[in-house]
Amino acid sequence: MSDAAWWRGAVIYQIYPRSFLDTDGDGVGDLPGIIQKLDYVASLGVDAIWIAPFFRSPMADFGYDIADYRDVDPLFGTLDDFDRLLAKAHGLGLKVMIDQVLSHTSDQHAWFKQSRASRDNAKADWYVWADAKPDGSAPNNWLSLFGGSAWQWEPRRGQYYLHNFLAAQPDLNFHHPDVRAAVLDEVRFWLDKGVDGLRLDAINFCFHDRQLRDNPPKPKEKRVGRGFSPDNPYAFQYHWYNNTQPENLDFLASLRTLLDRYPQAVSLGEISSEDSLATMAQYTSGHRLHMGYSFELLSSDFSAAYIRDTVAQLEAQMHDGWPCWAISNHDVERVLTRWGNGNASPRLANVLTAMLCSLRGSVCVYQGEELGLTEAEVPFEALRDPYGIAFWPNFKGRDGCRTPMPWDDSAFAGFSRHTPWLPLDEAHKTLAVSRQEADPASVLHGFRRFMQWRAGQPALRWGDIRFLDAPEPVLAFVRTHGRERVLAAFNLGKHATELELDLPGLANARPLDRHGLPQGSLDGLRLQLPGHGVLFAQLSD
């Protein structure tokens, strides 16, 4: 695999800067904190880091509302700090990916301040503006993901502007060529600095329907989605017109043309649409995104059948693209709580990591997964997430997965010298890095062992995938790379199980060990798997 394709099969470690390490004592993590812990990240055996937004922002949505794409918010440090971070990461062999939020800005961005001042200034059409209906109501029925109408009245212009998220996050008008050119210039700034990739937030939200047609209602039995719950009014519509428009394909091609001037740079698009798997396949085909990921494995559905069907459905559609999979991130309940069903054991943590990292594609691992962190309990009075505050108590928001990393078991877990921006979960202190470093049987050491082993398995990193029929709770598939075929079988349940597979070459297969996971055994065509155990085996020709 050429160095220019470093991203194929890569494990990308997501860092949420606010919660990683605070070095200046304000209770919020910062770029110097990331620099200080890069040796730790490199020791995990990952290939790259993805850093959530650190740009200048009023922090209405904690950095996903950008006021200046080219500057670091003082809360996180300086541009010089970022340059030091980039240099140290590269020196450790880590690639660096950064978030780019292109579909919207902060309402404090200079572009928006000018746009909303009048209907005839140079940037008047840089955002999505529309007149009220004759009765003064919003232009159409589009809804914000964070609750209520997606339209906000602006008295300076006497018009509404569109915001698919918070009212403080106005949507850019990508139908305007100057907007597209300006956005690409912002991206170029960071590529010139030497970043290795872009994680593109809400990339299918860049364009809206020019005619502003109403979204059709969605029947109650179909009110499901990824990233929002069925009782969120956002689930009451088919989102046919406020995102995922056909014009976006040409913009992605333009973005790819820019990226091609930087041979090491890669794009990873976050996609949440009515059919996210189909959109992933479309957005990564041809000359568009290098990789795409969706919320499909960030759901509460946890069964071997669901995982198999989700991945297989994408495989059937994605002919020349490359997927990226994640089971945790900064927007959803941590996977050990979401999928653990009250059994958040160290063995489950390690088998989930192994399962994820054995699927065809690249992988995003969220900070704390290597420790087996569970969702933190954050009381209402300590919530900071506007999404959670709006939908409490049915939906508690995203703060529970954003609490500070526990580096040790001191008062503030080694994260800060002062009270952190979100409260620490006392249970996390028992899972602190310092404690796990001292325990050879810890989740952390298990994570490292598996990553080291996987690095020497070309079939798991780059091979094709073919799923096998297996009863619950076993997920089984074969990865093939050249003449190498590897069977991967995972018992997602806590009890030992046996099964028989009709698989050519299995009778003479050679089990693969040294991955550090509870290992199953083979007896002819019969597999025995311990609870939360695995079997990797080299298949004979």
Side-chain angles (χ1 to χ4, degrees):
M1 187 64 58
S2 72
D3 191 50
W6 65 264
W7 47 275
R8 285 186 176 267
V11 178
I12 304 162
Y13 184 83
Q14 183 196 351
I15 294 175
Y16 193 69
R18 297 182 70 91
S19 300
F20 202 59
L21 181 67
D22 168 29
T23 61
D24 59 8
D26 63 358
V28 177
D30 43 49
L31 296 185
I34 297 175
I35 295 170
Q36 188 172 317
K37 293 297 184 181
L38 278 177
D39 292 281
Y40 164 81
V41 175
S43 79
L44 298 176
V46 300
D47 302 287
I49 59 172
W50 146 31
I51 310 173
F54 50 83
F55 315 105
R56 189 174 289 273
S57 166
M59 302 295 164
D61 191 23
F62 300 106
Y64 283 90
D65 50 318
I66 296 174
D68 186 341
Y69 284 100
R70 302 192 186 198
D71 198 9
V72 173
D73 195 276
L75 189 68
F76 298 123
T78 65
L79 278 171
D80 286 342
D81 289 329
F82 180 80
D83 290 338
R84 290 192 300 115
L85 187 161
L86 192 64
K88 181 168 183 179
H90 286 166
L92 291 168
L94 292 169
K95 304 292 186 182
V96 178
M97 301 178 68
I98 63 171
D99 248 308
Q100 290 285 271
V101 187
L102 306 184
S103 71
H104 55 267
T105 70
S106 165
D107 61 359
Q108 299 305 302
H109 196 291
W111 296 348
F112 186 73
K113 289 181 177 181
Q114 182 176 351
S115 185
R116 76 183 189 182
S118 69
R119 298 192 187 192
D120 58 2
N121 66 76
K123 291 184 172 56
D125 297 327
W126 277 41
Y127 292 81
V128 185
W129 296 99
D131 292 330
K133 289 182 177 179
D135 63 359
S137 60
N140 61 26
N141 71 345
W142 296 353
L143 296 172
S144 163
L145 185 69
F146 291 166
S149 172
W151 296 96
Q152 178 70 25
W153 180 253
E154 174 48 68
R156 296 168 183 82
R157 289 180 55 131
Q159 285 184 305
Y160 285 94
Y161 67 83
L162 177 67
H163 60 92
N164 276 293
F165 301 94
L166 294 176
Q169 294 169 293
D171 276 59
L172 285 160
N173 177 19
F174 271 74
H175 291 289
H176 197 306
D178 290 349
V179 169
R180 300 194 297 273
V183 164
L184 292 177
D185 277 343
E186 304 305 298
V187 170
R188 185 180 293 108
F189 174 83
W190 293 100
L191 293 172
D192 286 342
K193 271 195 168 292
V195 300
D196 304 289
L198 314 171
R199 182 267 186 182
L200 300 162
D201 185 69
I203 192 59
N204 58 302
F205 280 79
C206 289
F207 284 82
H208 65 285
D209 175 49
R210 283 182 183 270
Q211 300 176 51
L212 302 182
R213 286 172 284 188
D214 280 350
N215 281 326
K218 182 178 288 187
K220 188 173 183 179
E221 65 274 12
K222 295 186 177 181
R223 290 176 187 171
V224 294
R226 307 298 182 214
F228 54 91
S229 57
D231 62 346
N232 183 339
Y234 193 81
F236 291 28
Q237 296 180 352
Y238 287 104
H239 294 278
W240 290 352
Y241 298 119
N242 62 306
N243 62 53
T244 323
Q245 298 303 293
E247 295 93 336
N248 207 27
L249 298 175
D250 285 340
F251 172 70
L252 295 180
S254 299
L255 177 60
R256 181 59 177 268
T257 298
L258 170 61
L259 284 162
D260 285 348
R261 299 174 191 165
Y262 304 82
Q264 302 297 316
V266 64
S267 53
L268 169 61
E270 178 203 37
I271 295 161
S272 176
S273 67
E274 288 296 336
D275 187 343
S276 294
L277 296 176
T279 305
M280 280 176 67
Q282 185 181 42
Y283 278 24
T284 57
S285 67
H287 194 67
R288 295 167 186 152
L289 299 179
H290 296 81
M291 298 183 285
Y293 89 92
S294 71
F295 281 68
E296 297 305 308
L297 294 186
L298 296 168
S299 72
S300 59
D301 298 323
F302 179 50
S303 66
Y306 176 75
I307 296 168
R308 179 179 64 244
D309 293 348
T310 298
V311 177
Q313 184 180 342
L314 180 64
E315 287 292 316
Q317 301 177 78
M318 184 177 277
H319 303 298
D320 60 345
W322 189 256
C324 186
W325 297 105
I327 55 177
S328 278
N329 71 9
H330 64 290
D331 280 333
V332 297
E333 188 177 45
R334 283 192 176 273
V335 69
L336 269 193
T337 299
R338 205 174 71 247
W339 284 0
N341 295 321
N343 184 37
S345 69
R347 286 175 67 155
L348 177 60
N350 284 141
V351 80
L352 288 178
T353 294
M355 181 276 296
L356 175 69
C357 293
S358 298
L359 298 174
R360 188 183 87 95
S362 302
V363 170
C364 285
V365 174
Y366 182 46
Q367 65 184 46
E369 277 187 75
E370 76 277 15
L371 304 177
L373 295 189
T374 53
E375 184 80 352
E377 286 294 328
V378 181
F380 178 77
E381 60 272 16
L383 286 185
R384 302 289 298 274
D385 180 14
Y387 195 7
I389 292 169
F391 284 94
W392 181 275
N394 293 350
F395 173 63
K396 297 181 180 180
R398 302 164 294 180
D399 287 333
C401 66
R402 297 177 174 183
T403 55
M405 274 283 286
W407 297 102
D408 59 39
D409 55 6
S410 63
F412 299 127
F415 166 75
S416 178
R417 302 187 301 276
H418 298 286
T419 303
W421 74 287
L422 279 175
L424 282 151
D425 190 315
E426 287 300 312
H428 285 183
K429 291 183 182 180
T430 65
L431 300 171
V433 172
S434 62
R435 285 199 177 190
Q436 296 205 33
E437 291 282 16
D439 178 8
S442 68
V443 176
L444 175 59
H445 282 295
F447 185 97
R448 286 182 176 136
R449 279 192 295 270
F450 182 79
M451 291 300 170
Q452 183 179 21
W453 178 80
R454 177 185 180 270
Q457 301 295 325
L460 295 185
R461 297 176 67 190
W462 307 309
D464 295 334
I465 190 168
R466 179 171 66 87
F467 286 93
L468 305 175
D469 289 332
E472 292 290 344
V474 175
L475 180 70
F477 48 83
V478 174
R479 300 293 307 276
T480 303
H481 182 67
R483 298 192 61 177
E484 182 182 18
R485 292 193 304 144
V486 172
L487 167 66
F490 305 89
N491 181 1
L492 302 181
K494 60 183 179 180
H495 301 296
T497 188
E498 293 189 14
L499 68 152
E500 189 167 301
L501 292 177
D502 183 12
L503 179 63
L506 184 59
N508 299 312
R510 177 174 61 87
L512 300 172
D513 55 12
R514 298 188 180 181
H515 45 66
L517 295 157
Q519 171 83 327
S521 61
L522 270 174
D523 182 8
L525 301 181
R526 194 152 192 83
L527 279 66
Q528 293 91 32
L529 292 170
H532 294 154
V534 307
L535 178 68
F536 291 99
Q538 184 85 47
L539 298 172
S540 62
D541 291 334

